[in-house]
Amino acid sequence: FPASVRVRAVVMTRDDSSGGWVPLGGGGLSHVVICKGRSLDGRGRREYIIRGERLRDRAPVLECAVQRGLVYNKVNPIFHHWRVEDRKFGLTFQSPADAISFEKGLQTVLDKLDRGSDSPSSSTPEEADTEDDGQADIVSYRP
């Protein structure tokens, strides 16, 4: 999996009280990447994670494991959002090209997850993936 999915976007979250989207973690432009990291459920399994880090102070503003069943919506060329269980996240991209790049990278991961789950007798995608993307183990940030 190429770690080349790196875009600049404002990370958003759904504010159900107002019915609108609001910037997460105080707003500002963030680097958003799709990378492999350790899951935080204690089993230490490696999984794909969407991570956002604010450019101005490197504060983590987004940490979201990519799971099967993730619902991805393209609202317009520069605003896309997705839902994982009851959590909703969105990205306001700097350009349509960034949005396309992110969407393609995410689709690649979702396809891998779907393929890996269809054959329980084979090794999981995490075990079969021996490449190390150089990412340090991560600590979750839950705002």
Side-chain angles (χ1 to χ4, degrees):
F1 172 73
S4 59
V5 179
R6 174 188 282 278
V7 298
R8 294 188 337 163
V10 177
V11 179
M12 310 290 281
T13 188
R14 184 82 178 172
D15 177 7
D16 287 326
S17 66
S18 70
W21 289 91
V22 296
L24 193 60
L29 201 57
S30 294
H31 262 145
V32 179
V33 298
I34 302 174
C35 59
K36 286 192 91 169
R38 298 229 179 263
S39 65
L40 301 157
D41 57 12
R43 295 198 295 274
R45 201 179 67 232
R46 286 177 70 76
E47 60 189 2
Y48 293 100
I49 295 170
I50 302 168
R51 179 181 296 145
E53 181 180 88
R54 194 166 46 219
L55 292 176
R56 71 169 176 262
D57 58 4
R58 305 200 60 167
V61 291
L62 174 65
E63 179 95 18
C64 175
V66 179
Q67 301 170 354
R68 290 177 64 221
L70 181 145
V71 178
Y72 192 81
N73 298 292
K74 293 180 284 188
V75 177
N76 62 46
I78 60 163
F79 179 68
H80 296 181
H81 65 86
W82 67 94
R83 187 179 81 236
V84 175
E85 291 161 359
D86 59 347
R87 300 170 70 199
K88 296 175 185 171
F89 300 103
L91 294 175
T92 301
F93 297 96
Q94 285 293 94
S95 70
D98 275 356
I100 290 166
S101 169
F102 182 84
E103 182 194 2
K104 282 184 177 170
L106 185 59
Q107 193 57 56
T108 299
V109 169
L110 292 170
D111 290 347
K112 274 190 170 191
L113 292 175
D114 282 344
R115 281 201 309 274
S117 63
D118 291 341
S119 50
S121 60
S122 71
S123 66
T124 66
E126 290 88 12
E127 290 164 356
D129 187 354
T130 56
E131 73 189 53
D132 183 5
D133 59 6
Q135 289 284 335
D137 285 347
I138 54 147
V139 177
S140 178
Y141 173 78
R142 297 217 194 293

